[in-house]
């Protein structure tokens, strides 16, 4: 099976569009006096390089035969060359660019797989999650565990109080960052989709759109309709539907589509971790664009989002590596869970991420609607195939290499899970990926500090560490207050002053945390005229408890199956 099936060649011109690619190249074969073949067989020993795949004009088989797909402008030169070397006629065949490209990619499949699975780990092993922990981390973690266990036996109150206070510091840090982000929203105007200054067609380069899918056959028609609506010249649009070889239903659904000149199916063979970042790494070398975006199956991006992204890249220097579009939940009216999801996304994508970008701190990218300067993406090793929140890891890695990320106004609509268990599985994977990212990037704290600088290191501490710790300690905060309320006399026992301090700190943290999230969410929702959704903030304490449950579940998952990708159904 070919790893890539071309639905229709991008470069066959008006003649091919009218008569079909096969008819055009069969006619050129007759004009050259050469045989025409519909399929290309290179043989098991054939070698393919990526430049040849990009051109898709010539392929050499292991048997010595050569397949060509000449442009109309090359016919005269080819006839002249054949006149000088008539013996070559016996070794030449004409084929379509589609057939040549598919054969070249099949020959390159082992190299593509090696690149997708091992490129980052080979080039930057200290930045890969292939090994979840290093030996020093294991030794240090074991020492901490023994110390905590010993203290829990001989001084349980002391260890509980210490953990509580340490967690409170991070909890308050996250709240403070949300207050800062809310203050910056206040100075922003409501988001307006009108962008008359966006570049015109003649200024646009080739833009690649990567869309990984798995188990989502039912999503294919709607997805392709949304991608077809993208306002970008189709002769400079390079869409890749990236599918797993084992996902027979989705592959069949994609192949049943009507041919589109700007769309290509990429089938990833079995091997290595079956994760979204591995699929993206496999397809990236096949992309033709100078700029690359990533979307999920359920996404409906603003039609002009690519134009806004390209305008931002064009106005900035090469240090701008990535742009994150806002994600707006479109089914917030389908129940309390998607409503809270919508609030959370508004606070993150329209509040926190723009604030981090303006503060020159690392951005934990979202898993979709990312736009990349391809050269920068490749220079940092692409996505980590072993990290199950590859987006957050990539945002931090870009920062460590000296790049910066920013945000876009034109959003992407998507749906949130409406059932609790799919939400829990998705959130467990997110927390597990955050933990992977934290373990990877704290292997050498001194190097991390040097590469990020004080401001970047502070941002990573507040986001990378703070969100994990605050989720883990949230139940402890609630518990200490409930215990104190149920038995107030505890405040006046032997440890009354310490207990009172813990209760006071936790109560302050909870009030500050709820207030920060409420102010940030409300202002972020109003940017897009969705202020009425803020009513869901009344359920925020319950939502945070669910996130805490997912975070503890993620710890177990990290130990048992660190690279397992729990796919969210759509």
């Amino acid at each position: 099976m070919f790893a890539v099936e071309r639905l229709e060649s991008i470069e066959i011109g008006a003649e091919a569009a009218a008569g079909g690619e096969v008819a055009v190249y069969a006619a050129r074969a007759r004009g050259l006096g050469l045989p025409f073949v519909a399929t290309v067989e290179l043989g098991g020993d054939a070698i393919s390089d990526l430049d040849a795949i990009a051109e898709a004009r010539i392929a050499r088989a292991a048997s010595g035969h050569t397949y060509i797909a000449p442009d109309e402008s090359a016919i005269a030169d080819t006839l002249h060359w054949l006149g000088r070397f008539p013996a070559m006629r016996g070794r030449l065949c004409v084929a379509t660019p589609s057939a040549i490209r598919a054969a070249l990619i099949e020959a390159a499949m082992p190299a593509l797989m090696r690149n997708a699975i091992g490129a980052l780990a080979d080039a930057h092993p200290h930045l890969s999650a292939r090994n979840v922990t290093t030996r020093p981390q294991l030794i240090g973690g074991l020492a901490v565990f023994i110390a905590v266990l010993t203290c829990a036996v001989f001084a349980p109150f002391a260890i509980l109080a210490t953990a509580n206070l340490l967690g409170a510091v991070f909890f308050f840090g996250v709240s403070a960052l949300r207050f800062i982000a809310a203050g910056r929203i206040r100075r922003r105007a409501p988001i307006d989709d009108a962008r008359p200054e966006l570049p015109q067609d003649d200024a646009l380069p080739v833009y690649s759109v990567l869309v990984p899918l798995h188990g989502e056959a039912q999503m294919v028609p709607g997805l392709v309709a949304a991608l077809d609506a993208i306002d970008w010249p189709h002769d400079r649009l390079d869409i890749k539907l990236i599918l797993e070889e084992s996902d027979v239903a989705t592959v069949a659904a994609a192949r049943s589509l009507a041919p589109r000149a700007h769309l290509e199916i990429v089938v990833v063979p079995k091997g290595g971790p079956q994760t979204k970042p591995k699929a993206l790494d496999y397809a990236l070398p096949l992309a033709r664009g100078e700029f690359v975006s990533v979307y999920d199956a359920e996404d409906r991006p603003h039609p002009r989002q690519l134009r806004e992204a390209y305008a931002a890249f064009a106005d900035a220097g090469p240090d701008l590596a990535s742009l994150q579009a806002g994600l707006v939940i479109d089914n917030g009216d389908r129940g309390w869970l998607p409503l809270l999801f919508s609030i959370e996304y508004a606070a993150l994508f329209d509040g926190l991420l723009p604030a981090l970008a303006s503060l020159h701190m690392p951005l934990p990218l979202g898993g979709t609607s990312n736009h990349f300067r391809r050269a920068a993406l490749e220079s940092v090793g692409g996505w980590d195939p072993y990290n199950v929140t590859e987006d957050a890891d990539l945002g931090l890695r870009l920062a460590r290499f000296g790049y910066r990320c920013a945000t876009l106004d034109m959003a992407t609509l998507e749906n949130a899970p409406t059932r609790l268990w799919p939400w829990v599985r998705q959130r467990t994977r997110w927390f597990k990926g955050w933990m992977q990212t934290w373990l990877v990037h704290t292997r050498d704290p001194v190097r991390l500090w040097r590469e990020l600088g004080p401001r970047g290191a502070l941002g990573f501490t507040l986001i990378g560490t703070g969100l994990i710790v605050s989720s883990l300690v949230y139940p402890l905060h609630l518990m200490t207050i409930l215990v104190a309320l149920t038995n107030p006399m505890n405040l006046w026992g032997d440890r009354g002053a310490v207990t009172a301090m813990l209760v006071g700190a936790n109560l302050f943290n909870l009030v500050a945390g709820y207030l920060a999230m409420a102010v940030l969410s409300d202002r972020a929702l109003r940017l897009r005229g969705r202020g009425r959704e803020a009513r869901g903030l009344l359920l925020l304490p319950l939502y945070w408890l669910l996130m805490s449950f997912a975070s503890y579940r993620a710890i177990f998952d990290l130990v048992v199956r660190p690279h397992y990708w729990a796919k969210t159904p759509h």
Side-chain angles (χ1 to χ4, degrees):
M1 178 190 298
F2 289 146
V4 174
E5 175 179 304
R6 189 64 162 168
L7 296 180
E8 187 170 310
S9 173
I10 292 178
E11 300 171 341
I12 59 179
E15 184 180 7
E21 188 185 28
V22 171
V24 168
Y25 284 91
R28 291 177 185 173
R30 289 193 298 270
L32 293 170
L34 295 174
F36 173 79
V37 296
T39 59
V40 173
E41 299 290 341
L42 298 183
D45 297 329
I47 299 176
S48 175
D49 65 82
L50 297 179
D51 289 337
I53 294 173
E55 294 295 331
R57 292 296 178 184
I58 186 168
R60 294 179 176 84
S63 62
H65 278 78
T66 299
Y67 301 89
I68 61 172
D71 284 330
E72 185 65 34
S73 59
I75 295 296
D77 289 341
T78 305
L79 281 171
H80 177 73
W81 184 82
L82 288 171
R84 293 184 60 194
F85 305 100
M88 292 298 297
R89 287 185 174 275
R91 300 173 61 184
L92 288 177
C93 296
V94 174
T96 63
S98 301
I100 290 176
R101 180 175 171 86
L104 288 171
I105 292 175
E106 186 176 34
M109 198 183 299
L112 290 169
M113 280 296 287
R114 285 194 301 271
N115 177 78
I117 295 171
L120 177 63
D122 293 340
H124 308 288
H126 67 293
L127 294 176
S128 169
R130 182 163 60 184
N131 297 319
V132 178
T133 56
T134 61
R135 181 175 296 180
Q137 285 178 315
L138 282 174
I139 295 172
L142 182 61
V144 171
F145 176 76
I146 293 174
V148 170
L149 188 62
T150 302
C151 291
V153 172
F154 295 101
F157 184 81
I159 191 65
L160 183 64
T162 302
N164 193 103
L165 289 174
L166 286 175
V169 172
F170 286 103
F171 198 103
F172 176 73
V174 174
S175 299
L177 186 60
R178 286 177 173 147
F179 274 124
I180 293 171
R184 288 178 174 266
I185 286 181
R186 194 172 186 177
R187 298 196 294 267
R188 290 166 57 194
I191 292 172
D192 183 3
D193 284 343
R195 292 291 185 277
E197 73 281 4
L198 293 183
Q200 300 303 309
D201 288 5
D202 56 359
L204 301 179
V206 174
Y207 212 119
S208 291
V209 177
L210 307 183
V211 189
L213 301 94
H214 186 258
E216 295 168 308
Q218 77 283 1
M219 304 292 293
V220 170
L223 166 67
V224 173
L227 296 175
D228 279 345
I230 291 176
D231 181 15
W232 197 270
H234 282 187
D235 63 337
R236 277 162 277 176
L237 188 61
D238 175 38
I239 297 174
K240 307 285 193 242
L241 299 186
I242 312 169
L243 317 173
E244 297 288 339
E245 184 181 25
S246 58
D247 188 6
V248 177
T250 308
V251 172
R255 287 179 173 161
S256 69
L257 295 169
R260 287 166 171 80
H262 56 287
L263 190 148
E264 184 175 55
I265 298 174
V266 178
V267 180
V268 182
K270 298 176 183 178
Q274 188 170 304
T275 60
K276 173 183 172 181
K278 188 204 77 176
L280 291 169
D281 282 326
Y282 184 89
L284 182 60
L286 306 177
R288 299 186 300 114
E290 178 184 353
F291 300 96
V292 177
S293 63
V294 177
Y295 292 111
D296 283 343
E298 73 275 18
D299 287 351
R300 285 153 289 155
H302 190 288
R304 307 200 81 195
Q305 189 181 107
L306 265 61
R307 290 184 185 261
E308 184 188 9
Y310 174 65
F313 281 127
D315 289 342
D319 65 316
L320 179 62
S322 179
L323 293 161
Q324 174 67 60
L327 298 181
V328 175
I329 298 302
D330 198 34
N331 64 336
D333 58 349
R334 293 284 303 278
W336 66 272
L337 191 59
L339 175 61
L340 286 164
F341 206 110
S342 178
I343 292 171
E344 181 185 17
Y345 263 32
L348 176 63
F349 289 100
D350 284 331
L352 190 58
L353 293 188
L356 290 174
S358 65
L359 292 169
H360 304 290
M361 290 180 172
L363 256 67
L365 298 172
T368 178
S369 299
N370 317 126
H371 299 259
F372 298 99
R373 198 183 298 272
R374 180 176 178 168
L377 177 61
E378 292 176 334
S379 72
V380 303
W383 296 271
D384 186 349
Y386 295 94
N387 192 310
V388 296
T389 49
E390 79 295 338
D391 38 16
D393 167 72
L394 181 54
L396 182 57
R397 188 154 23 99
L398 286 167
R400 294 188 68 169
F401 276 75
Y403 293 104
R404 64 184 180 92
C405 303
T407 58
L408 299 173
D409 284 343
M410 293 185 179
T412 296
L413 298 179
E414 66 171 36
N415 291 336
T418 57
R419 294 180 294 118
L420 183 58
W421 190 242
W423 180 94
V424 169
R425 295 178 74 245
Q426 181 191 63
R427 195 54 58 110
T428 298
R429 174 172 61 81
W430 289 0
F431 274 115
K432 179 173 70 173
W434 268 105
M435 293 172 186
Q436 283 181 318
T437 300
W438 186 88
L439 287 168
V440 166
H441 290 279
T442 56
R443 288 170 179 171
D444 188 343
V446 175
R447 182 173 180 175
L448 176 68
W449 178 277
R450 187 173 62 248
E451 291 175 348
L452 290 181
R455 185 189 294 254
L458 175 63
F460 170 69
T461 301
L462 290 175
I463 298 298
T465 308
L467 289 179
I468 297 173
V469 173
S470 60
S471 181
L472 292 173
V473 303
Y474 177 67
L476 183 60
H477 278 28
L478 287 178
M479 184 177 67
T480 56
I481 293 174
L482 291 176
V483 168
L485 290 176
T486 54
N487 189 2
M489 295 306 296
N490 278 340
L491 293 175
W492 308 107
D494 293 339
R495 304 186 185 96
V498 177
T499 304
M501 180 183 65
L502 290 176
V503 172
N506 292 349
L507 182 60
F508 173 81
N509 259 345
L510 289 176
V511 172
Y514 293 148
L515 184 61
M517 187 64 179
V519 174
L520 176 62
S521 302
D522 180 67
R523 291 181 178 177
L525 287 165
R526 292 179 187 280
L527 283 175
R528 298 187 188 273
R530 302 165 69 96
R532 59 184 178 79
E533 294 185 2
R535 68 186 187 279
L537 287 165
L538 294 173
L539 296 173
L540 191 61
L542 172 62
Y543 194 62
W544 282 4
L545 268 180
L546 290 174
M547 286 199 284
S548 293
F549 171 71
S551 66
Y552 281 99
R553 189 171 180 268
I555 296 175
F556 174 80
D557 224 35
L558 184 66
V559 175
V560 175
R561 46 181 188 178
H563 304 128
Y564 172 70
W565 187 283
K567 175 64 179 174
T568 305
H570 294 107

